[in-house]
Amino acid sequence: MRDTEPHGVDAGVHIVFQADCPSRPILDQIADKWSMMIMALLEQPMRFNELKRRLEGVTQRVLTQALRRLERNGMIQRKVLPTSPVGVEYSLTALGESLREPFGHLYNWTVEHGEEIQNCQRAYDSRADT
């Protein structure tokens, strides 16, 4: 078996998604709803509490964890502001900015197909209930 990328592969090649593939933790973060919503909000630098207010339903703990993962992966930067009390501001890095276009395509796809997916969910649920 060969470990290779899933796109543009010869028909005879068997794709293996290995457990230690370095793309896994990155895909895990990119697919995380809070991470993607944070990045969508960061068109301009924002403070933690402003992000929290704009992300209805997120807890302080989950927001903190998502911000730390994004910073660790190089998608955002954290800047301590010389204010009293000390403030922190988050903004996209160049790497984070480079994800905006593909994320925009994914977001547009979800909006375009949202109703169709909901119809499929309802049909599935009604079959499961019988």
Side-chain angles (χ1 to χ4, degrees):
M1 290 198 258
R2 186 172 140 192
D3 185 17
T4 185
E5 68 168 305
H7 302 289
V9 204
D10 294 335
V13 175
H14 185 81
I15 299 168
V16 176
F17 293 100
Q18 295 182 342
D20 64 347
C21 179
S23 68
R24 282 190 177 195
I26 298 165
L27 289 170
D28 183 47
Q29 169 135 48
I30 291 171
D32 174 67
K33 69 177 177 184
W34 296 119
S35 294
M36 295 315 307
M37 286 189 237
I38 289 166
M39 292 183 65
L41 288 174
L42 289 177
E43 291 180 357
Q44 59 189 16
M46 295 179 97
R47 290 184 176 211
F48 181 91
N49 285 331
E50 187 177 0
L51 284 166
K52 189 168 181 328
R53 279 192 303 276
R54 304 264 313 263
L55 292 168
E56 191 172 301
V58 71
T59 64
Q60 183 164 334
R61 180 177 175 264
V62 168
L63 180 55
T64 298
Q65 289 172 339
L67 289 166
R68 285 182 183 161
R69 281 193 320 270
L70 286 166
E71 183 180 11
R72 182 172 184 259
N73 289 339
M75 301 293 173
I76 65 170
Q77 62 186 3
R78 178 181 184 266
K79 179 180 176 184
V80 177
L81 304 171
T83 58
S84 182
V86 174
V88 177
E89 183 177 79
Y90 297 92
S91 60
L92 289 178
T93 61
L95 185 60
E97 272 295 334
S98 72
L99 189 55
R100 288 180 78 74
E101 183 180 349
F103 170 68
H105 292 297
L106 178 60
Y107 177 77
N108 290 339
W109 183 91
T110 62
V111 170
E112 182 179 329
H113 296 282
E115 188 175 333
E116 180 181 353
I117 290 169
Q118 288 175 341
N119 289 338
C120 291
Q121 291 169 342
R122 283 190 285 276
Y124 178 91
D125 292 346
S126 69
R127 287 192 308 271
D129 290 341
T130 57

